[in-house]
Amino acid sequence: MDLSKFSVEELHELIEKAKAELLKRREGKWIHFKTDDCFTPKFGPAYVAKLFLVGDEIEREFYASNGKEWCKKGKSYKEDWDIEIFENDVIEARLTTGKKVDKREWYYVKNGELIPLFDLDEAKQFLKNLK
């Protein structure tokens, strides 16, 4: 882009658009996650985590929950999280108890919305493409 070809008014307009885009990317949006009914930790605890790529490996930053509410027998619980998400964040969550498989879900954030990803490999590829 050759900025010398722009008028002063066009340059000011471009600056304002760039500032608005930067602000939009920095603004977070709060979102609420919760377990389905009473969660039984057969494959591990319920959690919500932000994924990072360190080298070629996935790292997780786990969000603290709002607390657990234990169900009748004390082996299962309800849990919820309020987290702030930002553009291009990748989120992993285990909120549902699977009977035979670990039921985790992956998302990326686009325009303040959670967009589902198919699996951890797709989440990893998304993070690689951000670099």
Side-chain angles (χ1 to χ4, degrees):
M1 176 186 301
D2 185 5
L3 295 178
S4 65
K5 294 182 180 179
F6 286 82
S7 69
V8 171
E9 292 81 22
E10 290 172 325
L11 287 171
H12 282 293
E13 185 179 323
L14 183 61
I15 289 170
E16 291 306 312
K17 285 181 180 178
K19 284 181 182 177
E21 181 63 24
L22 286 171
L23 184 60
K24 182 176 104 178
R25 291 182 185 190
R26 276 185 283 191
E27 286 181 357
K29 179 180 178 183
W30 287 92
I31 191 159
H32 184 78
F33 289 93
K34 67 178 184 172
T35 56
D36 291 340
D37 300 319
C38 288
F39 182 87
T40 304
K42 182 175 182 177
F43 294 100
Y47 68 88
V48 177
K50 181 177 177 180
L51 300 183
F52 296 96
L53 200 57
V54 178
D56 207 28
E57 297 298 317
I58 292 286
E59 298 269 331
R60 291 170 177 82
E61 178 185 312
F62 294 94
Y63 292 100
S65 74
N66 298 328
K68 291 180 182 175
E69 178 187 330
W70 293 95
C71 297
K72 290 181 182 179
K73 295 182 181 180
K75 293 182 180 181
S76 59
Y77 54 88
K78 295 178 184 179
E79 196 167 11
D80 67 305
W81 296 258
D82 290 308
I83 65 167
E84 189 173 17
I85 57 173
F86 296 91
E87 193 73 10
N88 293 323
D89 278 355
V90 177
I91 305 295
E92 179 180 74
R94 181 188 291 137
L95 303 171
T96 304
T97 302
K99 292 184 181 186
K100 296 188 180 201
V101 294
D102 185 6
K103 288 198 160 195
R104 291 180 288 166
E105 298 173 337
W106 297 269
Y107 305 94
Y108 71 93
V109 179
K110 182 176 181 182
N111 297 324
E113 300 295 322
L114 292 175
I115 309 298
L117 293 166
F118 183 69
D119 59 11
L120 186 59
D121 289 335
E122 189 177 9
K124 188 175 183 178
Q125 189 61 47
F126 181 85
L127 288 168
K128 282 182 179 179
N129 292 340
L130 289 178
K131 289 188 174 187

